[in-house]
Amino acid sequence: MSQPIYAIVAEFGDPDDLLVAAEKVYAEGYRKVEAYSPFPVHGVAEALGNDCSKTRWTCFLSGVAGGLGGYQLAPDDTRSV
Amino acid sequence: MRRFNFLNYTDHTEEPYAVTMLARNPNVTMRARGVMEKCTYCVQRISAARIEAKKEGRPIKDGEVVSACQQACPTKSITFGDMNDPKSEIAKVKKQPQNYILLEELNTKPRTTYLTRLRNPNPKLGKES
Amino acid sequence: MSAREKLNDDLILGKHTFRTINDKVNNVVLNQNSHTIPWAVCFMVGFMLLQLMGLVILWLLYRGIGIWGVNNPSMWGWDIINFVWWIGIGHAGTLISAILLLLKQSWRNSINRFAEAMTLFAVACAGLFPLLHTGRPYMAYWMFPYPNVLAMTPNFRSPLLWDVFAISTYATVSAVFWFLGLIPDLASLRDKSKNPIFKGIFGALAMGWRGAASHWQRYESAYIMLAGLSTPLVLSVHSIVSFDFAVANLPGWHVTLFPPYFVAGAVYAGFAMVLTLAIPVRAWYNMKDFITMRHIDWMAKVMLATGLIVFYGYLCEGFFSWYSGNVFEIDMMRFRMFGPYGWAYWMLILCNGIVPQFLWFPKIRTNLVALFIICQFVSLGMWLERFVIITVSLTRDFLPSSWGYFTPTIYDIGMFVGTVGQFTFLMFGFLRVLPMINNFEMKELLYRMTGRGHHHGHTAHALEPDLAGHTAGDGEEH
C-alpha cells in the first residue's frame, strides 16, 4: 500500500511561472494552496482566491476604538474630582 | 510679567532663607526651579476673603481683598477689586480717561491696566510740576 | 498588471540577480567583518559625544536649565533651535517612505529603510530638547491629558500641546512603519543566519513571517494604510511645529507663511542629511549598484526644489514685513538684517539662498564631493534659519525695556554636539545590526525592471515544477 499524499511542493525559478501555476491550480479546483515568495508577486494571492478584507476591517475597527479611547482623555468639565 | 526659574534661586532647606523667606512672605515663597514665577494677584488673599464671605453668606465686599503690593504701596497707586462689579472702586478707576492698556492693539486683554500721568501741555496754564 | 511596467535601468546597476541582491544586503549584517575602519571611527566618535551629552544632561538635571544660555527675554535658545532642526531632518524619511510610495516612485526602494531609520533617530534627538526644556523633565507626563486628582488638564488652545501630540504620533507611526517594512527582511536574515542566537533574535522579530502570498497581501494592504497615515503627518508635524511660533503674537513669528515654509525647509534639511549619510555609506559598503548616481541626482533635485521654496519664503518675509506697514514688523526685519544677529541672517541667505543654486548644474549634482559640501551648507543654513527666527524675535519684542541678548554656554554646545553624537551612534549601530537597504523591495524592483511583458493569464506556461534551479532563483522559495 503506497503512502497517501498529504501535499505537493513545487518550486519555480521565475515569479511569472508561479503566477501562471497559481491560476491553473485554482482553476483545477484546489483551494488549500499557498504560494511562498521572497518578495510580493502581485496577483498570486488573488489568483489563489485570497482577499485582505480582514486586514481592512481590523484596521478600521482598531482605528475607531483608538479614536474613542482618545476622546476619553479629553477634558470633561462635568466630571467632579 | 512672568519670570522662569531657570535655576533654584532659593535654597529652601538652608538658613537663613528657610525662616526669613517664610517670615517675610509666608504665603508666596520663591518657587523651585523649573517653575514659572507669575503674579497670582494674591490668590491666597482672595481665597481667604471668599471663605469668610461664604461663612457669612454674603458676596465679597469691594475692598475686602487687598493685594500685597497694594497694601505695601506708600502712595496708594494700586487699586484691586472686582472688574465685573460696576460699582466697585476698580471699575470706576478703569472708566477714567487716563486709563490705558499696555500694547492694547495686540488684543491680549491683560487685566492689569495703568493710569497715565496727568500732564499739562499748555504752559500758559502754569508750570508742570 | 501595472507592476510590470518597464522601469529605468539606472535604479539598479551591474549584473544582479535576486540572489546577489539578497546576499549583498544581508552580508552587511551577517558578515560582521564587512565593517571597516570608517564604521568604527564614526561609531566611536558618536558614542563619545553621546557620553558627553549624558554628562550635560546629568548636570542639567542637578542644576536646572539655567546652565543653558536661555534667559528672561530669550526663553527659547539652542534647545528649541535644535529641536526644530532635528524634527525637520526627520521629514525626508517620511516623505521618501510614505509620499513616494503612494506616488509609486520606484527610486525610493533603495533609500527608504535608511531614510526611515534616520527619521526615527532624528526624532529621538529632537524629543530630548522640549522634554528637558520644560524645566522639570520628571513632570513631563503632565503634558498628557490623563485623568488625575490634581483636576489638571493641559490647555488645548496652546500649540505647545498640539506639538506634544504631533511629535508623539509622528514618532509612533514612523516606528511602526519602519518595523513593518523590516519584517520580511528580518525573516530573510533569520533564514540566512548561521548563528543560532542571532537566528533566534531575528526569528522572534520576524514574528513568523513565511513569505506566503496571503502574508504579502496583508502586508501590502497594511503598508499602504500606514503610508496613508504618514502622508498627512509629513505636512502636519512641521506645520504644528511652526504654529509654536506662528500662533504667538510676536513680530517675526506671527506669520501665516510659516507652515508651508517650515515643511519645505524640513524636507530640504532632511534630504541634505540623507545625502550626507548616503554618500559616504554607499562608498564604504560598496552599495553603488543600489544607491546609484541617479538616486543622488534626484535627491539633489528635491533639495533644489525645496530650497527654492525656502528662499522664496525668506523673500516673502522681507516683502510682507515691509508691506504690512507695521512698525514692529518692519523693525523686526531691520533687526534681522542689520541688528546684533545680522551675521546669522546673511550667513543664512548664503547657505540657503545662494549655495543651493549650484544644484542647477547636473555636473555639480553628480559630483559627490561638491554635493556633500553643499549638504553641509544646507544643514548649517537650516540651523541658522531657526536661530534667526527664535533669537531675534525673542530679544527684540514690542517693549524695548525687555530687549536682551542671547549667548550660548558650553552646555548648549554640549547638548547639540551630543545629539549629533547620539544620531551618529544610532545610525551606525543600525547599519551593523539591520539591513540598511530594503532587501525584498530591491528584489521586487529587479523583477519589475526585468519585466518580460508577461501578462496576467495571457501567456500559457507548462505547469511543471522547475527543480533545475534558475539564476534568478533566490533560494528562499520552498
Side-chain angles (χ1 to χ4, degrees):
Chain A
M1 213 168 75
S2 64
Q3 285 278 73
I5 296 172
Y6 287 110
I8 293 174
V9 179
E11 186 176 324
F12 300 92
D14 190 288
D16 294 316
D17 295 341
L18 176 68
L19 192 55
V20 175
E23 281 166 2
K24 282 213 169 182
V25 164
Y26 193 80
E28 293 283 330
Y30 294 97
R31 290 297 175 269
K32 289 184 178 172
V33 192
E34 189 56 282
Y36 298 91
S37 58
F39 57 84
V41 181
H42 290 161
V44 173
E46 289 82 357
L48 293 173
N50 291 329
D51 65 55
C52 56
S53 56
K54 264 188 210 160
T55 323
R56 290 180 197 142
W57 274 105
T58 314
C59 288
F60 176 71
L61 292 176
S62 314
V64 170
L68 289 174
Y71 277 116
Q72 289 305 302
L73 290 177
D76 177 3
D77 289 341
T78 59
R79 183 175 54 203
S80 59
V81 180
Chain B
M1 186 46 78
R2 70 225 192 295
R3 284 281 182 270
F4 187 73
N5 291 335
F6 289 108
L7 299 168
N8 214 11
Y9 296 113
T10 41
D11 187 345
H12 297 264
T13 59
E14 225 176 81
E15 290 293 343
Y17 298 106
V19 173
T20 45
M21 287 293 288
L22 287 169
R24 282 177 191 155
N25 198 351
N27 288 313
V28 185
T29 55
M30 179 79 97
R31 291 168 189 80
R33 74 174 166 88
V35 183
M36 216 69 199
E37 285 294 343
K38 168 84 180 68
C39 172
T40 62
Y41 294 82
C42 289
V43 65
Q44 74 283 1
R45 294 183 178 213
I46 300 172
S47 273
R50 182 186 293 125
I51 291 165
E52 279 308 311
K54 209 169 184 177
K55 280 197 297 199
E56 290 165 27
R58 57 166 175 86
I60 304 171
K61 283 187 290 226
D62 187 34
E64 194 175 347
V65 184
V66 177
S67 71
C69 56
Q70 183 185 8
Q71 190 181 28
C73 183
T75 57
K76 300 286 168 219
S77 58
I78 296 170
T79 315
F80 184 83
D82 182 6
M83 278 158 59
N84 289 328
D85 176 9
K87 285 188 290 248
S88 69
E89 186 61 26
I90 188 79
K92 281 178 207 153
V93 169
K94 285 210 183 217
K95 270 192 212 116
Q96 289 179 16
Q98 67 265 45
N99 177 57
Y100 76 96
I101 302 169
L102 186 65
L103 296 172
E104 186 178 10
E105 69 276 16
L106 298 180
N107 201 27
T108 53
K109 298 180 181 167
R111 61 185 108 177
T112 302
T113 62
Y114 303 89
L115 297 175
T116 189
R117 193 169 151 196
L118 283 172
R119 289 169 190 275
N120 175 18
N122 187 352
K124 282 181 196 160
L125 291 175
K127 229 176 143 201
E128 194 177 351
S129 55
Chain C
M1 278 175 295
S2 61
R4 303 306 305 264
E5 88 273 27
K6 188 82 176 144
L7 287 170
N8 196 309
D9 283 338
D10 288 353
L11 293 180
I12 299 179
L13 294 177
K15 282 197 165 56
H16 276 289
T17 61
F18 296 133
R19 186 187 293 278
T20 59
I21 292 179
N22 196 54
D23 288 348
K24 189 149 188 132
V25 174
N26 281 350
N27 187 45
V28 178
V29 180
L30 295 178
N31 175 15
Q32 291 290 313
N33 294 327
S34 61
H35 301 279
T36 47
I37 290 166
W39 181 89
V41 171
C42 290
F43 189 76
M44 293 297 266
V45 170
F47 189 65
M48 282 193 297
L49 295 177
L50 179 65
Q51 301 309 307
L52 175 75
M53 186 177 78
L55 290 176
V56 173
I57 292 178
L58 206 64
W59 185 236
L60 182 134
L61 291 177
Y62 181 69
R63 289 278 290 150
I65 63 167
I67 64 165
W68 287 339
V70 282
N71 54 42
N72 261 314
S74 188
M75 303 217 180
W76 288 359
W78 275 36
D79 46 352
I80 302 298
I81 298 169
N82 296 337
F83 159 69
V84 181
W85 190 70
W86 277 118
I87 271 291
I89 283 170
H91 278 59
T94 327
L95 181 97
I96 290 170
S97 55
I99 294 188
L100 296 188
L101 174 77
L102 295 182
L103 296 176
K104 294 188 190 292
Q105 293 294 310
S106 297
W107 62 279
R108 66 181 277 284
N109 289 335
S110 65
I111 49 174
N112 66 349
R113 170 72 40 75
F114 194 76
E116 281 167 35
M118 192 199 75
T119 296
L120 278 180
F121 303 149
V123 172
C125 292
L128 274 174
F129 288 104
L131 181 70
L132 296 174
H133 174 90
T134 54
R136 288 187 294 174
Y138 37 90
M139 298 295 188
Y141 61 93
W142 283 4
M143 289 189 283
F144 290 97
Y146 70 100
N148 61 68
V149 291
L150 297 170
M152 180 185 67
T153 189
N155 184 0
F156 275 85
R157 291 160 74 192
S158 164
L160 301 183
L161 179 71
W162 311 341
D163 224 18
V164 173
F165 291 113
I167 305 298
S168 52
T169 309
Y170 186 50
T172 316
V173 173
S174 301
V176 172
F177 201 44
W178 187 61
F179 181 69
L180 187 69
L182 266 169
I183 288 176
D185 285 4
L186 289 167
S188 169
L189 284 169
R190 169 198 65 197
D191 295 344
K192 295 288 180 187
S193 183
K194 300 275 190 294
N195 184 323
I197 295 167
F198 293 133
K199 211 177 178 66
I201 294 170
F202 288 131
L205 289 172
M207 301 200 294
W209 181 267
R210 294 187 303 280
S214 51
H215 286 187
W216 283 119
Q217 197 182 31
R218 284 178 198 137
Y219 168 85
E220 292 208 312
S221 153
Y223 202 67
I224 285 283
M225 270 190 274
L226 274 175
L229 267 180
S230 306
T231 299
L233 285 178
V234 178
L235 304 174
S236 72
V237 173
H238 227 55
S239 294
I240 288 173
V241 171
S242 81
F243 290 160
D244 291 348
F245 306 102
V247 172
N249 218 342
L250 214 55
W253 284 13
H254 198 53
V255 185
T256 47
L257 178 72
F258 265 24
Y261 143 74
F262 265 56
V263 171
V267 174
Y268 178 56
F271 271 88
M273 188 56 88
V274 173
L275 279 170
T276 302
L277 291 166
I279 289 172
V281 164
R282 76 192 267 279
W284 293 340
Y285 289 96
N286 200 17
M287 289 295 177
K288 291 173 187 168
D289 286 354
F290 301 151
I291 303 174
T292 67
M293 289 315 288
R294 181 163 288 264
H295 287 100
I296 288 180
D297 183 33
W298 282 348
M299 284 194 269
K301 280 181 184 170
V302 173
M303 248 170 70
L304 175 62
T306 48
L308 288 172
I309 298 174
V310 170
F311 190 41
Y312 175 71
Y314 299 154
L315 298 178
C316 279
E317 275 187 322
F319 172 75
F320 284 124
S321 63
W322 167 74
Y323 193 67
S324 69
N326 181 314
V327 62
F328 296 114
E329 291 290 338
I330 293 170
D331 272 10
M332 177 47 57
M333 209 59 215
R334 212 164 51 77
F335 286 129
R336 276 191 187 176
M337 288 179 177
F338 310 112
Y341 300 104
W343 56 271
Y345 185 79
W346 297 114
M347 276 286 284
L348 159 68
I349 295 294
L350 173 74
C351 292
N352 280 356
I354 313 296
V355 172
Q357 302 306 326
F358 287 110
L359 295 173
W360 286 105
F361 304 106
K363 273 199 178 151
I364 292 181
R365 286 203 301 272
T366 49
N367 180 335
L368 294 176
V369 175
L371 191 57
F372 189 81
I373 293 169
I374 290 175
C375 288
Q376 306 318 303
F377 271 100
V378 170
S379 292
L380 173 66
M382 287 311 294
W383 193 90
L384 285 170
E385 178 194 303
R386 282 68 181 247
F387 179 79
V388 166
I389 290 173
I390 290 176
T391 310
V392 181
S393 285
L394 284 175
T395 54
R396 288 286 180 278
D397 73 355
F398 298 100
L399 300 170
S401 60
S402 46
W403 287 2
Y405 194 79
F406 175 82
T407 315
T409 64
I410 51 163
Y411 300 103
D412 283 303
I413 300 166
M415 270 311 284
F416 176 63
V417 178
T419 48
V420 172
Q422 183 191 13
F423 183 75
T424 317
F425 170 77
L426 289 170
M427 202 66 211
F428 281 85
F430 153 76
L431 288 182
R432 189 148 188 160
V433 298
L434 290 169
M436 68 169 106
I437 287 178
N438 198 327
N439 191 350
F440 85 85
E441 282 193 12
M442 289 308 281
K443 286 183 266 184
E444 196 202 358
L445 180 68
L446 183 71
Y447 166 59
R448 284 191 285 148
M449 277 170 56
T450 53
R452 268 151 272 153
H454 289 209
H455 249 265
H456 194 192
H458 285 189
T459 325
H461 267 251
L463 174 59
E464 45 187 324
D466 188 341
L467 302 171
H470 275 241
T471 47
D474 184 66
E476 279 178 29
E477 296 172 82
H478 300 297

